[in-house]
Amino acid sequence: MKILLYTGNINVVEKSGVGRAIKQQLKFLEDNKIPFTVNIKDSYDIIHLNTVFPDSFIMSVIAKIKGKKIVYHAHSTKEDFENSFCGSNFLAPLFKKWIMLCYNMGDLIITPTEYSKKLLYEYRLRKPIVTISNGIDLDFYKRDGEKGRLFREKYGFRKQDKIIMSVGLHIKRKGILDFVELAKILPEYQFVWFGYTDPKIIPKEVRNAVGIKLPNLHFPGYISREELRDAYNGSDLFLFLTYEETEGIVLLEALAMKIPVLVRDIDIYKNWLSDGRDVYKGSGILDFYNKIREIINGDLPDITEAGYETVKKKDIKTCGKRLIFQYIKLAANKKTL
């Protein structure tokens, strides 16, 4: 059994969660010593696709003609396409039809959470769907006070500064407008958002928000995995204001780093993360304002250890074995569910 992990157009997604997921899959294969290639000219038995660009669809057609097995990883839904780029809401119904066409090319569809699986079932896809988390490398994401000190030194923050960080593309769905609004009304805290999106493809209101000049609001852009780990170490709160996710790899990272986490109370977290047990949840600017102050001031209990215990279930080693198991069943022409 040999896997073709298709990485075409990875330059387009490498700074997104999909790009991180592909890198995780490479590690899955390497760690489990599964024969694989990223060269489309090599021989293979199973092709694993992660994107819904036309080139990925073409690769699925070629694989189908060759009689190869196809794994389609469903990272995208109509719901998380909305409120992203210019024209995304107008195009969302067409996007849904397109991803259904792509996903139905798979012999097996993999998606990160039960929530995203539920959405895909509502699309009435014809192929079996299994849930496997994108996973988290717990050996890499570990607390290290020195790395946190270096992060603060690099960005000019003082030891006494309270830093609230977030990570994501500069899109409305990620909650960036609310992040900026909170920075305005909480000037005593430093707000740092890591990530980047080409301003030409995002709506004017988002461009304007990112362009606002506040002494406590910072947009350093995209940073490496190592630098992001340092930022988790050096921050006091991870604020994840996203309105829609299929999982949220950066949330897994924050939980693994044992940093306090405050998320928006949305459906994906209802049967996974409990408010006051694993994370804290909010539902509006005033709620976030109060929760941020309570967490930073120590008025709410420290629940980071409980959050870590929850994310341990998504360890990369466990997720990798689940993925390999599905490959083996698919290669053997067995039922995949």
Side-chain angles (χ1 to χ4, degrees), residues 243-260:
Y243 285 85
E244 183 71 31
E245 291 292 322
T246 52
E247 183 170 42
I249 292 178
V250 294
L251 174 59
L252 305 186
E253 294 169 355
L255 290 169
M257 292 298 299
K258 300 182 182 180
I259 176 176

Side-chain angles (χ1 to χ4, degrees), residues 147 219 271 298:
K147 286 184 170 62
F219 291 101
N271 298 316

Side-chain angles (χ1 to χ4, degrees), residues 108-111 117 120-121 125 127-131 336-337:
L108 173 67
I109 301 168
I110 295 176
T111 197
K117 181 178 179 179
L120 295 175
Y121 269 134
L125 296 171
K127 302 302 174 70
I129 306 170
V130 299
T131 301
T336 53
L337 289 178

Side-chain angles (χ1 to χ4, degrees), residues 142-201:
K142 287 184 175 179
R143 294 295 302 174
D144 186 326
E146 177 61 15
K147 286 184 170 62
R149 186 190 67 79
L150 292 172
F151 157 73
R152 285 177 175 251
E153 184 179 278
K154 176 178 178 179
Y155 288 95
F157 294 121
R158 301 167 299 171
K159 184 177 181 180
Q160 65 268 33
D161 285 335
K162 298 301 182 182
I163 301 173
I164 298 166
M165 69 171 284
S166 195
V167 184
L169 297 172
H170 293 175
I171 56 178
K172 186 177 180 179
R173 174 176 64 81
K174 291 291 185 179
I176 197 166
L177 299 180
D178 294 334
F179 189 83
V180 172
E181 189 61 30
L182 286 163
K184 291 178 184 176
I185 61 177
L186 287 165
E188 64 269 37
Y189 303 138
Q190 297 294 326
F191 285 74
V192 188
W193 182 293
F194 295 102
Y196 174 78
T197 305
D198 187 339
K200 293 192 294 292
I201 64 171

Side-chain angles (χ1 to χ4, degrees), residues 101-316:
L101 179 64
C102 291
Y103 295 159
N104 272 322
M105 289 298 290
D107 297 290
L108 173 67
I109 301 168
I110 295 176
T111 197
T113 59
E114 288 299 316
Y115 170 75
S116 54
K117 181 178 179 179
K118 174 178 173 289
L119 291 179
L120 295 175
Y121 269 134
E122 291 172 356
Y123 292 0
R124 301 187 183 279
L125 296 171
R126 300 189 304 273
K127 302 302 174 70
I129 306 170
V130 299
T131 301
I132 302 176
S133 169
N134 290 309
I136 179 70
D137 187 350
L138 295 175
D139 293 331
F140 180 83
Y141 291 100
K142 287 184 175 179
R143 294 295 302 174
D144 186 326
E146 177 61 15
K147 286 184 170 62
R149 186 190 67 79
L150 292 172
F151 157 73
R152 285 177 175 251
E153 184 179 278
K154 176 178 178 179
Y155 288 95
F157 294 121
R158 301 167 299 171
K159 184 177 181 180
Q160 65 268 33
D161 285 335
K162 298 301 182 182
I163 301 173
I164 298 166
M165 69 171 284
S166 195
V167 184
L169 297 172
H170 293 175
I171 56 178
K172 186 177 180 179
R173 174 176 64 81
K174 291 291 185 179
I176 197 166
L177 299 180
D178 294 334
F179 189 83
V180 172
E181 189 61 30
L182 286 163
K184 291 178 184 176
I185 61 177
L186 287 165
E188 64 269 37
Y189 303 138
Q190 297 294 326
F191 285 74
V192 188
W193 182 293
F194 295 102
Y196 174 78
T197 305
D198 187 339
K200 293 192 294 292
I201 64 171
I202 55 178
K204 184 178 180 181
E205 62 178 339
V206 177
R207 291 199 305 272
N208 290 343
V210 175
I212 287 175
K213 303 299 181 185
L214 296 174
N216 69 323
L217 179 62
H218 314 273
F219 291 101
Y222 178 81
I223 58 175
S224 70
R225 182 173 178 244
E226 290 74 19
E227 290 175 298
L228 190 55
R229 179 182 58 185
D230 294 352
Y232 288 125
N233 272 299
S235 297
D236 299 283
L237 173 65
F238 182 72
L239 182 59
F240 201 45
L241 299 174
T242 181
Y243 285 85
E244 183 71 31
E245 291 292 322
T246 52
E247 183 170 42
I249 292 178
V250 294
L251 174 59
L252 305 186
E253 294 169 355
L255 290 169
M257 292 298 299
K258 300 182 182 180
I259 176 176
V261 172
L262 175 58
V263 303
R264 189 181 300 278
D265 190 3
I266 55 177
D267 286 348
I268 187 173
Y269 303 131
K270 282 185 178 175
N271 298 316
W272 169 28
L273 300 169
S274 294
D275 184 23
R277 184 195 68 186
D278 313 291
V279 299
Y280 286 106
K281 297 181 180 180
S283 56
I285 292 294
L286 181 58
D287 199 10
F288 288 126
Y289 173 88
N290 290 326
K291 289 280 179 66
I292 288 170
R293 291 175 61 87
E294 290 170 338
I295 293 169
I296 296 292
N297 293 336
D299 298 327
L300 289 174
D302 183 343
I303 56 175
T304 54
E305 286 295 336
Y308 181 76
E309 289 302 313
T310 296
V311 85
K312 275 172 64 176
K313 299 171 187 174
K314 296 178 181 285
D315 177 52
I316 192 172

Side-chain angles (χ1 to χ4, degrees), residues 23-84:
K23 290 174 183 175
Q24 296 279 55
Q25 291 159 18
L26 286 167
K27 186 167 175 57
F28 289 165
L29 294 165
E30 290 168 352
D31 289 351
N32 289 276
K33 297 180 171 55
I34 301 297
F36 77 95
T37 182
V38 295
N39 186 345
I40 62 174
K41 295 181 180 179
D42 288 347
S43 62
Y44 64 92
D45 302 294
I46 299 172
I47 183 171
H48 189 152
L49 301 159
N50 281 275
T51 63
V52 292
F53 298 127
D55 60 301
S56 291
F57 179 75
I58 291 169
M59 286 300 301
S60 71
V61 172
I62 293 171
K64 190 76 73 177
I65 292 170
K66 291 182 175 180
K68 307 299 183 181
K69 295 294 184 180
I70 301 167
V71 172
Y72 226 120
H73 219 115
H75 298 285
S76 300
T77 64
K78 167 184 173 288
E79 288 73 11
D80 73 4
F81 180 73
E82 293 172 333
N83 295 311
S84 54

